[in-house]
Coordinates of all heavy atoms in Angstrom, one line a residue:
V203 N 12.8 1.6 23.8 CA 11.7 2.5 23.7 C 11.6 3.3 25.0 O 11.9 2.7 26.1 CB 10.4 1.8 23.5 CG1 9.2 2.7 23.6 CG2 10.3 1.2 22.1
T204 N 11.3 4.6 25.0 CA 11.1 5.3 26.2 C 9.9 6.3 26.0 O 9.7 6.8 24.9 CB 12.3 6.1 26.6 OG1 12.0 6.8 27.8 CG2 12.7 7.2 25.5
T205 N 9.1 6.5 27.0 CA 8.1 7.5 27.1 C 8.5 8.6 28.0 O 7.7 9.5 28.3 CB 6.7 6.9 27.5 OG1 6.9 6.3 28.8 CG2 6.2 5.9 26.5
G206 N 9.7 8.6 28.5 CA 10.3 9.6 29.3 C 10.8 9.1 30.7 O 11.3 9.9 31.4
A207 N 10.7 7.8 30.9 CA 11.1 7.3 32.2 C 12.1 6.1 32.0 O 11.8 5.0 32.4 CB 9.9 6.9 33.0
G208 N 13.2 6.4 31.4 CA 14.2 5.4 31.2 C 14.0 4.6 29.9 O 13.0 4.7 29.3
L209 N 15.1 3.9 29.5 CA 15.1 3.2 28.2 C 14.6 1.7 28.5 O 15.3 1.0 29.3 CB 16.4 3.2 27.6 CG 17.0 4.6 27.2 CD1 18.4 4.5 26.7 CD2 16.1 5.2 26.1
Q210 N 13.6 1.3 27.8 CA 13.1 -0.1 28.0 C 13.5 -0.9 26.7 O 13.1 -0.6 25.6 CB 11.6 -0.1 28.2 CG 11.1 0.8 29.3 CD 11.7 0.3 30.6 OE1 11.7 -0.9 30.9 NE2 12.0 1.3 31.5
P211 N 14.2 -2.0 26.9 CA 14.6 -2.8 25.7 C 13.4 -3.6 25.1 O 12.5 -4.1 25.8 CB 15.6 -3.8 26.3 CG 15.3 -3.9 27.7 CD 14.7 -2.6 28.1
V212 N 13.4 -3.6 23.8 CA 12.3 -4.4 23.1 C 12.9 -5.3 22.0 O 12.1 -6.0 21.3 CB 11.3 -3.4 22.3 CG1 10.5 -2.6 23.3 CG2 12.1 -2.5 21.4
S213 N 14.2 -5.4 22.0 CA 14.9 -6.3 21.0 C 14.6 -7.8 21.3 O 14.4 -8.2 22.5 CB 16.4 -6.1 21.0 OG 16.7 -5.0 20.2
T214 N 14.7 -8.6 20.3 CA 14.8 -10.0 20.4 C 16.2 -10.4 20.0 O 17.0 -9.6 19.4 CB 13.8 -10.8 19.6 OG1 14.0 -10.4 18.2 CG2 12.4 -10.4 20.0
A215 N 16.6 -11.6 20.2 CA 18.0 -12.1 19.8 C 18.2 -11.9 18.3 O 19.3 -11.4 17.9 CB 18.2 -13.5 20.2
P216 N 17.3 -12.3 17.4 CA 17.5 -12.1 16.0 C 17.7 -10.6 15.6 O 18.5 -10.3 14.8 CB 16.3 -12.7 15.3 CG 15.8 -13.7 16.3 CD 16.1 -13.1 17.6
V217 N 16.9 -9.7 16.2 CA 17.1 -8.3 15.9 C 18.4 -7.8 16.4 O 19.1 -7.1 15.6 CB 16.0 -7.5 16.6 CG1 16.2 -6.0 16.5 CG2 14.6 -7.9 16.1
S218 N 18.8 -8.1 17.6 CA 20.2 -7.7 18.1 C 21.3 -8.2 17.2 O 22.3 -7.6 17.0 CB 20.3 -8.1 19.6 OG 19.4 -7.4 20.4
R219 N 21.2 -9.5 16.8 CA 22.2 -10.1 15.9 C 22.3 -9.3 14.6 O 23.4 -9.0 14.1 CB 21.9 -11.6 15.7 CG 22.9 -12.2 14.7 CD 24.3 -12.1 15.1 NE 24.7 -12.8 16.3 CZ 25.1 -14.0 16.3 NH1 25.3 -14.7 15.1 NH2 25.5 -14.6 17.4
S220 N 21.2 -9.0 14.0 CA 21.2 -8.2 12.8 C 21.8 -6.8 13.0 O 22.5 -6.4 12.1 CB 19.7 -8.1 12.3 OG 19.2 -9.3 11.9
L221 N 21.5 -6.2 14.1 CA 22.1 -4.9 14.4 C 23.6 -5.0 14.5 O 24.3 -4.1 14.1 CB 21.5 -4.3 15.7 CG 20.0 -3.8 15.6 CD1 19.5 -3.5 16.9 CD2 19.9 -2.6 14.7
A222 N 24.1 -6.1 15.0 CA 25.5 -6.3 15.2 C 26.2 -6.7 13.9 O 27.4 -6.2 13.7 CB 25.8 -7.3 16.3
D223 N 25.6 -7.5 13.1 CA 26.3 -8.1 12.0 C 26.0 -7.4 10.7 O 26.7 -7.6 9.7 CB 25.9 -9.6 11.9 CG 26.4 -10.4 13.0 OD1 27.2 -9.9 13.8 OD2 25.9 -11.6 13.2
N224 N 24.9 -6.7 10.6 CA 24.5 -6.0 9.3 C 24.7 -4.5 9.4 O 25.3 -4.0 10.3 CB 23.1 -6.4 8.9 CG 22.9 -7.9 8.7 OD1 22.5 -8.7 9.6 ND2 23.3 -8.4 7.5
D225 N 24.1 -3.8 8.4 CA 24.3 -2.4 8.3 C 23.0 -1.6 8.4 O 22.4 -1.2 7.5 CB 24.9 -2.1 6.9 CG 25.2 -0.6 6.7 OD1 25.5 0.1 7.7 OD2 25.2 -0.1 5.6
P226 N 22.6 -1.3 9.7 CA 21.4 -0.5 9.9 C 21.7 0.9 9.5 O 22.7 1.5 9.9 CB 21.1 -0.7 11.4 CG 22.5 -1.0 12.0 CD 23.2 -1.7 11.0
T227 N 20.7 1.6 8.8 CA 21.0 2.9 8.3 C 20.0 4.0 8.9 O 20.4 5.1 9.1 CB 20.9 3.0 6.8 OG1 19.5 2.7 6.4 CG2 21.8 2.0 6.2
H228 N 18.7 3.6 9.1 CA 17.7 4.6 9.5 C 16.7 3.9 10.4 O 16.4 2.7 10.3 CB 16.9 5.2 8.3 CG 17.8 6.0 7.4 ND1 18.6 5.3 6.4 CD2 18.0 7.3 7.3 CE1 19.2 6.3 5.7 NE2 18.9 7.5 6.2
C229 N 16.0 4.7 11.3 CA 14.8 4.3 12.0 C 13.7 5.3 11.7 O 14.0 6.5 11.5 CB 15.1 4.3 13.5 SG 16.2 3.0 14.1
F230 N 12.5 4.8 11.6 CA 11.4 5.7 11.4 C 10.1 5.1 11.9 O 10.1 3.9 12.2 CB 11.2 6.0 9.9 CG 11.1 4.9 9.0 CD1 9.9 4.2 8.7 CD2 12.3 4.4 8.4 CE1 9.9 3.1 7.8 CE2 12.3 3.3 7.5 CZ 11.1 2.7 7.2
Y231 N 9.1 5.9 12.1 CA 7.8 5.5 12.8 C 6.6 5.8 11.9 O 6.6 6.7 11.1 CB 7.7 6.3 14.1 CG 6.3 6.2 14.8 CD1 6.0 5.1 15.5 CD2 5.4 7.2 14.6 CE1 4.8 5.0 16.2 CE2 4.2 7.1 15.3 CZ 3.9 6.0 16.1 OH 2.7 5.9 16.7
Y232 N 5.6 4.9 11.9 CA 4.4 5.2 11.2 C 3.3 4.4 11.9 O 3.5 3.5 12.7 CB 4.5 4.8 9.7 CG 4.8 3.3 9.5 CD1 3.7 2.4 9.2 CD2 6.1 2.8 9.5 CE1 4.0 1.0 9.0 CE2 6.3 1.4 9.3 CZ 5.3 0.6 9.0 OH 5.5 -0.8 8.8
E233 N 2.0 4.7 11.5 CA 0.8 4.0 12.0 C 0.0 3.6 10.8 O 0.0 4.2 9.8 CB 0.0 5.0 12.9 CG 0.8 5.5 14.1 CD 0.0 6.5 14.9 OE1 -1.2 6.7 14.6 OE2 0.6 7.1 15.8
Y234 N -0.7 2.4 11.0 CA -1.5 1.9 10.0 C -2.6 1.0 10.6 O -2.3 0.1 11.4 CB -0.7 1.1 9.0 CG -1.5 0.7 7.7 CD1 -1.9 1.7 6.8 CD2 -1.8 -0.6 7.4 CE1 -2.6 1.4 5.7 CE2 -2.5 -0.9 6.3 CZ -2.9 0.1 5.4 OH -3.6 -0.3 4.3
Q235 N -3.8 1.3 10.3 CA -5.0 0.5 10.8 C -4.9 0.3 12.3 O -5.1 -0.8 12.8 CB -5.1 -0.8 10.0 CG -5.4 -0.6 8.6 CD -5.5 -1.9 7.8 OE1 -5.2 -3.0 8.3 NE2 -6.1 -1.9 6.6
G236 N -4.6 1.3 13.1 CA -4.6 1.2 14.5 C -3.4 0.7 15.1 O -3.3 0.6 16.4
H237 N -2.4 0.3 14.3 CA -1.2 -0.3 14.8 C -0.1 0.8 14.7 O 0.0 1.6 13.8 CB -0.8 -1.5 14.0 CG -1.6 -2.7 14.3 ND1 -1.1 -3.9 14.9 CD2 -2.9 -2.9 14.1 CE1 -2.1 -4.7 15.0 NE2 -3.2 -4.2 14.5
K238 N 0.8 0.8 15.7 CA 2.0 1.7 15.7 C 3.2 0.9 15.4 O 3.4 -0.2 16.1 CB 2.1 2.4 17.0 CG 0.8 3.3 17.4 CD 1.0 3.9 18.7 CE -0.3 4.8 19.0 NZ -0.2 5.4 20.4
F239 N 4.0 1.4 14.5 CA 5.2 0.6 14.1 C 6.5 1.5 14.2 O 6.4 2.7 13.8 CB 5.1 0.2 12.6 CG 3.9 -0.7 12.4 CD1 2.7 -0.2 11.9 CD2 4.0 -2.1 12.5 CE1 1.6 -1.0 11.6 CE2 2.9 -2.9 12.3 CZ 1.7 -2.3 11.8
C240 N 7.6 0.9 14.6 CA 8.9 1.5 14.5 C 9.7 0.5 13.7 O 9.8 -0.7 14.0 CB 9.5 1.7 15.9 SG 8.9 3.1 16.7
A241 N 10.4 1.1 12.7 CA 11.2 0.3 11.7 C 12.7 0.6 11.8 O 13.0 1.7 12.1 CB 10.7 0.5 10.3
I242 N 13.5 -0.5 11.7 CA 14.9 -0.3 11.6 C 15.3 -0.7 10.2 O 15.1 -1.9 9.8 CB 15.7 -1.2 12.6 CG1 15.2 -0.9 14.0 CG2 17.2 -0.9 12.5 CD1 15.8 -1.9 15.0
R243 N 15.7 0.2 9.4 CA 16.0 -0.1 8.0 C 17.5 -0.4 7.8 O 18.3 0.2 8.4 CB 15.6 1.2 7.1 CG 15.7 1.0 5.6 CD 16.9 1.5 5.0 NE 17.0 1.3 3.6 CZ 18.0 1.6 2.8 NH1 19.1 2.0 3.4 NH2 17.9 1.4 1.5
F244 N 17.8 -1.4 7.0 CA 19.2 -1.9 6.7 C 19.5 -1.6 5.3 O 18.6 -1.6 4.4 CB 19.3 -3.3 7.1 CG 19.2 -3.7 8.5 CD1 17.9 -3.8 9.1 CD2 20.3 -3.9 9.3 CE1 17.8 -4.1 10.5 CE2 20.2 -4.3 10.6 CZ 18.9 -4.3 11.2
S245 N 20.7 -1.5 4.9 CA 21.2 -1.4 3.6 C 21.4 -2.7 2.9 O 21.5 -2.8 1.7 CB 22.5 -0.6 3.4 OG 23.6 -1.3 4.0
D246 N 21.5 -3.8 3.7 CA 21.9 -5.1 3.2 C 21.0 -6.2 3.6 O 21.4 -7.4 3.5 CB 23.3 -5.4 3.6 CG 23.6 -5.3 5.1 OD1 22.6 -4.9 5.8 OD2 24.7 -5.6 5.6
R247 N 19.8 -5.9 4.1 CA 18.9 -7.0 4.5 C 17.5 -6.4 4.7 O 17.4 -5.1 4.7 CB 19.3 -7.7 5.8 CG 19.5 -6.8 6.9 CD 19.3 -7.5 8.3 NE 17.9 -7.8 8.5 CZ 17.4 -9.0 8.7 NH1 18.2 -10.1 8.8 NH2 16.1 -9.2 8.9
P248 N 16.4 -7.2 4.8 CA 15.1 -6.6 5.1 C 15.1 -5.8 6.4 O 15.9 -6.1 7.3 CB 14.2 -7.9 5.2 CG 14.9 -8.9 4.3 CD 16.4 -8.6 4.6
A249 N 14.2 -4.9 6.5 CA 14.0 -4.1 7.7 C 13.3 -4.9 8.8 O 12.5 -5.8 8.5 CB 13.1 -2.9 7.4
W250 N 13.7 -4.6 10.0 CA 13.0 -5.2 11.2 C 12.0 -4.1 11.6 O 12.3 -2.9 11.8 CB 14.0 -5.5 12.3 CG 14.7 -6.8 12.2 CD1 16.0 -6.9 12.0 CD2 14.1 -8.1 12.4 NE1 16.3 -8.3 12.0 CE2 15.2 -9.0 12.3 CE3 12.8 -8.5 12.7 CZ2 15.0 -10.4 12.4 CZ3 12.6 -9.9 12.8 CH2 13.7 -10.8 12.6
V251 N 10.7 -4.5 11.8 CA 9.6 -3.6 12.2 C 9.0 -4.1 13.5 O 8.6 -5.3 13.5 CB 8.6 -3.5 11.1 CG1 7.6 -2.5 11.4 CG2 9.3 -3.1 9.8
F252 N 8.9 -3.3 14.5 CA 8.2 -3.6 15.8 C 6.8 -3.1 15.8 O 6.6 -1.9 15.6 CB 9.0 -3.0 16.9 CG 8.5 -3.5 18.3 CD1 8.6 -4.8 18.7 CD2 7.9 -2.5 19.1 CE1 8.2 -5.2 19.9 CE2 7.5 -2.9 20.4 CZ 7.6 -4.2 20.8
D253 N 5.9 -4.0 16.1 CA 4.4 -3.6 16.2 C 4.1 -3.5 17.6 O 4.1 -4.5 18.4 CB 3.6 -4.8 15.5 CG 2.1 -4.4 15.5 OD1 1.7 -3.6 16.2 OD2 1.4 -5.1 14.7
F254 N 3.7 -2.3 18.1 CA 3.4 -2.1 19.5 C 2.1 -2.8 19.9 O 1.9 -3.0 21.1 CB 3.4 -0.6 19.8 CG 4.8 0.0 19.8 CD1 5.3 0.5 18.7 CD2 5.5 0.1 21.0 CE1 6.6 1.1 18.7 CE2 6.7 0.7 21.1 CZ 7.3 1.2 19.9
A255 N 1.2 -3.0 19.0 CA 0.0 -3.6 19.3 C 0.2 -5.1 19.7 O -0.5 -5.6 20.6 CB -1.0 -3.5 18.2
T256 N 1.0 -5.8 18.9 CA 1.2 -7.2 19.2 C 2.5 -7.5 20.0 O 2.7 -8.6 20.5 CB 1.4 -8.0 17.8 OG1 2.5 -7.5 17.1 CG2 0.1 -7.8 17.0
Q257 N 3.3 -6.4 20.2 CA 4.6 -6.6 20.8 C 5.5 -7.6 20.2 O 6.3 -8.3 20.8 CB 4.4 -6.9 22.3 CG 3.7 -5.9 23.1 CD 4.6 -4.7 23.4 OE1 5.7 -4.8 24.0 NE2 4.2 -3.5 22.9
E258 N 5.4 -7.6 18.8 CA 6.2 -8.6 18.1 C 6.9 -7.9 16.9 O 6.5 -6.8 16.4 CB 5.4 -9.8 17.6 CG 4.8 -10.7 18.7 CD 4.1 -11.9 18.2 OE1 3.7 -11.9 17.0 OE2 3.9 -12.8 18.9

Side-chain angles (χ1 to χ4, degrees):
V203 171
T204 182
T205 57
L209 298 172
Q210 305 299 320
V212 292
S213 280
T214 61
V217 173
S218 294
R219 173 55 68 91
S220 296
L221 289 168
D223 294 348
N224 296 100
D225 182 30
T227 65
H228 297 82
C229 291
F230 51 88
Y231 170 79
Y232 63 95
E233 299 176 6
Y234 191 66
Q235 294 184 346
H237 289 242
K238 301 178 179 180
F239 301 95
C240 282
I242 307 173
R243 189 260 183 189
F244 294 77
S245 69
D246 54 355
R247 57 154 287 125
W250 278 110
V251 184
F252 184 69
D253 184 343
F254 285 87
T256 64
Q257 294 289 297
E258 292 185 343

